mmCIF file of all heavy atoms in Angstrom:
data_model
loop_
_atom_site.group_PDB
_atom_site.id
_atom_site.type_symbol
_atom_site.label_atom_id
_atom_site.label_comp_id
_atom_site.label_asym_id
_atom_site.label_seq_id
_atom_site.Cartn_x
_atom_site.Cartn_y
_atom_site.Cartn_z
ATOM 1 N N VAL K 2 -118.699 0.098 -118.584
ATOM 2 C CA VAL K 2 -119.133 1.298 -117.880
ATOM 3 C C VAL K 2 -118.832 2.526 -118.738
ATOM 4 O O VAL K 2 -117.740 2.672 -119.271
ATOM 5 C CB VAL K 2 -118.420 1.425 -116.513
ATOM 6 C CG1 VAL K 2 -118.837 2.707 -115.822
ATOM 7 C CG2 VAL K 2 -118.740 0.210 -115.650
ATOM 8 N N LEU K 28 -98.524 20.618 -125.268
ATOM 9 C CA LEU K 28 -99.564 21.371 -125.975
ATOM 10 C C LEU K 28 -99.083 22.795 -126.163
ATOM 11 O O LEU K 28 -98.582 23.416 -125.220
ATOM 12 C CB LEU K 28 -100.860 21.363 -125.160
ATOM 13 C CG LEU K 28 -102.004 22.263 -125.660
ATOM 14 C CD1 LEU K 28 -102.562 21.753 -126.984
ATOM 15 C CD2 LEU K 28 -103.121 22.338 -124.610
ATOM 16 N N MET K 29 -99.249 23.332 -127.373
ATOM 17 C CA MET K 29 -98.874 24.709 -127.616
ATOM 18 C C MET K 29 -99.898 25.369 -128.530
ATOM 19 O O MET K 29 -100.537 24.719 -129.357
ATOM 20 C CB MET K 29 -97.472 24.799 -128.227
ATOM 21 C CG MET K 29 -97.338 24.203 -129.608
ATOM 22 S SD MET K 29 -95.632 24.132 -130.226
ATOM 23 C CE MET K 29 -95.170 25.833 -130.198
ATOM 24 N N ARG K 78 -93.590 14.827 -129.144
ATOM 25 C CA ARG K 78 -94.922 14.520 -129.656
ATOM 26 C C ARG K 78 -95.825 15.741 -129.426
ATOM 27 O O ARG K 78 -96.666 15.762 -128.540
ATOM 28 C CB ARG K 78 -95.510 13.282 -128.970
ATOM 29 C CG ARG K 78 -94.803 11.983 -129.325
ATOM 30 C CD ARG K 78 -95.000 11.638 -130.799
ATOM 31 N NE ARG K 78 -94.389 10.364 -131.164
ATOM 32 C CZ ARG K 78 -93.148 10.222 -131.579
ATOM 33 N NH1 ARG K 78 -92.351 11.286 -131.671
ATOM 34 N NH2 ARG K 78 -92.670 9.048 -131.907
ATOM 35 N N PHE K 111 -87.478 10.480 -142.487
ATOM 36 C CA PHE K 111 -88.026 11.358 -141.444
ATOM 37 C C PHE K 111 -89.543 11.240 -141.385
ATOM 38 O O PHE K 111 -90.214 11.215 -142.418
ATOM 39 C CB PHE K 111 -87.663 12.819 -141.718
ATOM 40 C CG PHE K 111 -86.189 13.089 -141.730
ATOM 41 C CD1 PHE K 111 -85.559 13.434 -142.909
ATOM 42 C CD2 PHE K 111 -85.434 12.993 -140.573
ATOM 43 C CE1 PHE K 111 -84.193 13.673 -142.936
ATOM 44 C CE2 PHE K 111 -84.071 13.230 -140.595
ATOM 45 C CZ PHE K 111 -83.448 13.575 -141.774
ATOM 46 N N PHE K 138 -109.980 21.154 -147.756
ATOM 47 C CA PHE K 138 -108.659 21.650 -148.166
ATOM 48 C C PHE K 138 -107.585 20.638 -147.793
ATOM 49 O O PHE K 138 -106.736 20.274 -148.599
ATOM 50 C CB PHE K 138 -108.326 22.967 -147.452
ATOM 51 C CG PHE K 138 -108.989 24.183 -148.021
ATOM 52 C CD1 PHE K 138 -110.056 24.099 -148.889
ATOM 53 C CD2 PHE K 138 -108.534 25.443 -147.667
ATOM 54 C CE1 PHE K 138 -110.666 25.222 -149.404
ATOM 55 C CE2 PHE K 138 -109.137 26.588 -148.179
ATOM 56 C CZ PHE K 138 -110.203 26.478 -149.044
ATOM 57 N N LEU K 171 -104.423 15.969 -138.533
ATOM 58 C CA LEU K 171 -105.209 17.156 -138.229
ATOM 59 C C LEU K 171 -106.550 16.716 -137.656
ATOM 60 O O LEU K 171 -107.204 15.822 -138.212
ATOM 61 C CB LEU K 171 -105.448 17.993 -139.488
ATOM 62 C CG LEU K 171 -104.339 18.960 -139.912
ATOM 63 C CD1 LEU K 171 -103.026 18.249 -140.153
ATOM 64 C CD2 LEU K 171 -104.758 19.729 -141.173
ATOM 65 N N THR K 184 -122.126 10.314 -123.572
ATOM 66 C CA THR K 184 -121.442 9.254 -122.828
ATOM 67 C C THR K 184 -120.155 8.847 -123.523
ATOM 68 O O THR K 184 -120.060 8.866 -124.745
ATOM 69 C CB THR K 184 -122.347 8.021 -122.680
ATOM 70 O OG1 THR K 184 -122.736 7.554 -123.975
ATOM 71 C CG2 THR K 184 -123.592 8.355 -121.879
ATOM 72 N N ALA K 191 -113.547 2.471 -132.512
ATOM 73 C CA ALA K 191 -112.917 1.797 -133.651
ATOM 74 C C ALA K 191 -111.577 2.452 -133.909
ATOM 75 O O ALA K 191 -111.287 3.528 -133.375
ATOM 76 C CB ALA K 191 -113.812 1.909 -134.896
ATOM 77 N N ASP K 235 -121.138 7.803 -140.301
ATOM 78 C CA ASP K 235 -120.225 8.803 -139.749
ATOM 79 C C ASP K 235 -118.845 8.557 -140.359
ATOM 80 O O ASP K 235 -118.187 7.560 -140.060
ATOM 81 C CB ASP K 235 -120.184 8.666 -138.224
ATOM 82 C CG ASP K 235 -119.237 9.651 -137.550
ATOM 83 O OD1 ASP K 235 -118.666 10.517 -138.251
ATOM 84 O OD2 ASP K 235 -119.063 9.546 -136.322
ATOM 85 N N SER K 252 -124.487 -0.199 -151.196
ATOM 86 C CA SER K 252 -124.890 -1.462 -151.809
ATOM 87 C C SER K 252 -126.120 -2.043 -151.114
ATOM 88 O O SER K 252 -126.858 -2.836 -151.719
ATOM 89 C CB SER K 252 -123.731 -2.468 -151.764
ATOM 90 O OG SER K 252 -123.490 -2.918 -150.442
ATOM 91 N N ALA K 309 -127.694 29.739 -144.110
ATOM 92 C CA ALA K 309 -126.568 29.339 -144.963
ATOM 93 C C ALA K 309 -126.101 27.916 -144.689
ATOM 94 O O ALA K 309 -125.391 27.333 -145.513
ATOM 95 C CB ALA K 309 -125.398 30.306 -144.768
ATOM 96 N N VAL K 323 -134.846 12.073 -153.223
ATOM 97 C CA VAL K 323 -134.125 10.923 -153.752
ATOM 98 C C VAL K 323 -135.018 9.697 -153.757
ATOM 99 O O VAL K 323 -135.054 8.932 -154.733
ATOM 100 C CB VAL K 323 -132.844 10.665 -152.932
ATOM 101 C CG1 VAL K 323 -132.172 9.365 -153.344
ATOM 102 C CG2 VAL K 323 -131.855 11.816 -153.079
#
Side-chain angles (χ1 to χ4, degrees):
V2 178
L28 172 68
M29 65 187 301
R78 291 294 183 271
F111 299 112
F138 281 15
L171 277 58
T184 58
D235 179 5
S252 71
V323 172

